[in-house]
Amino acid sequence: MRLRNIPRAEGTIQAHPIVIKRPEDQRGCWRQVFGNKRPIHIEIGMGKGRFILNMAKEHPDINFIGIERYSSVLLRAVEKFDTEEFRELKNVRFVCMDARDIADVFAEGEVDRIYLNFSDPWPKARHAKRRLTSVEFLERYEKVLTQGGLVEFKTDNTALFNFSLEQIKEAAWTLQAFTYDLHHNEEMNKGNIMTEYEEKFSQKGNPINKLIAVRR
């Protein structure tokens, strides 16, 4: 994916109070950041922020942290937060970082749930370890999730979804639920909040796959 560099992105992000600048300094202390002991849910690869901001709005009893690697993309999430609809939210923070470093930013058992939405499929076989649902990443998630913590994954890419189901099994996680057609699964679609990509692909008629897995 080619990203357009936005020169003002870095400065805007550094100056905005919703963005945590040195997230590694908060390791083990994220509940102090929010000033409460509520559950912490994170989204890895939050893109322009539609999903996590709406989740934070719908679930004020949960603390949400959005992780995005690219500053030019994170800028769009910051701008969305600054709109009238979201700017009063107290239960959301953003972090600009690489997901590979997740265990350096969150302590053992500090995260209750991880959302992965329309992650990069890395289609070449030699890049399989980079997929956010690979065994390698599941091992990273184990280091920060609570016992019984969940990973929720949505994608329209069926090949990636099948790969993910296999990786869940290989990692000895428990597959709690899955579907190849989320929007026609009444139970799993209950309370579903769509991402930008989800809406786009759904309008094209692409079925959305979703799984929920429990860490071992």
Side-chain angles (χ1 to χ4, degrees):
M1 177 175 64
R2 297 193 65 173
L3 294 172
R4 181 170 63 89
N5 182 54
I6 303 176
R8 64 186 173 85
E10 197 63 39
T12 301
I13 288 168
Q14 288 298 318
H16 204 288
I18 197 176
V19 182
I20 304 299
K21 282 71 181 182
R22 291 179 54 83
E24 64 276 7
D25 291 348
Q26 307 305 328
R27 187 177 186 271
C29 303
W30 282 100
R31 284 179 172 82
Q32 286 93 310
V33 170
F34 290 98
N36 58 62
K37 296 183 178 180
R38 295 168 185 163
I40 292 175
H41 292 189
I42 68 176
E43 182 185 10
I44 297 177
M46 69 171 179
K48 298 176 182 177
R50 173 178 171 177
F51 174 83
I52 199 164
L53 287 171
N54 278 289
M55 286 291 284
K57 182 179 177 181
E58 292 291 323
H59 303 281
D61 55 335
I62 296 172
N63 298 321
F64 291 90
I65 301 170
I67 294 173
E68 176 54 51
R69 181 178 180 180
Y70 301 104
S71 60
S72 292
V73 179
L74 179 55
L75 173 66
R76 299 307 185 197
V78 168
E79 291 174 337
K80 188 181 293 289
F81 172 82
D82 281 337
T83 61
E84 185 176 354
E85 183 177 4
F86 300 115
R87 64 188 175 208
E88 299 301 323
L89 291 175
K90 306 297 184 185
N91 62 327
V92 64
R93 298 290 188 278
F94 296 154
V95 175
C96 192
M97 61 172 283
D98 192 311
R100 290 178 295 186
D101 301 325
I102 190 172
D104 297 328
V105 171
F106 298 97
E108 182 178 351
E110 195 167 27
V111 177
D112 295 271
R113 190 170 304 193
I114 296 173
Y115 300 100
L116 307 172
N117 292 315
F118 299 87
S119 310
D120 190 331
W122 292 102
K124 295 181 180 178
R126 69 175 184 272
H127 292 153
K129 291 183 179 181
R130 299 186 186 183
R131 298 169 190 161
L132 293 181
T133 51
S134 67
V135 167
E136 287 75 16
F137 270 95
L138 293 173
E139 289 173 351
R140 291 182 172 103
Y141 305 151
E142 281 182 21
K143 294 177 181 178
V144 304
L145 279 170
T146 58
Q147 287 292 333
L150 302 176
V151 166
E152 296 193 13
F153 173 55
K154 291 194 288 188
T155 182
D156 72 315
N157 188 312
T158 303
L160 176 61
F161 190 68
N162 287 334
F163 166 85
S164 303
L165 291 172
E166 293 169 359
Q167 295 291 284
I168 293 293
K169 183 177 180 180
E170 186 174 331
W173 284 41
T174 301
L175 187 63
Q176 186 179 91
F178 75 98
T179 178
Y180 284 95
D181 193 356
L182 174 63
H183 296 167
H184 290 94
N185 184 309
E186 185 176 350
E187 185 61 31
M188 290 191 71
N189 197 43
K190 196 179 299 180
N192 181 56
I193 288 178
M194 289 204 287
T195 73
E196 292 91 346
Y197 280 124
E198 185 172 353
E199 183 173 48
K200 175 183 175 182
F201 295 140
S202 295
Q203 288 174 349
K204 291 182 177 180
N206 296 8
I208 305 301
N209 311 303
K210 180 176 180 177
L211 67 79
I212 303 174
V214 186
R215 63 150 289 185
R216 62 178 176 179

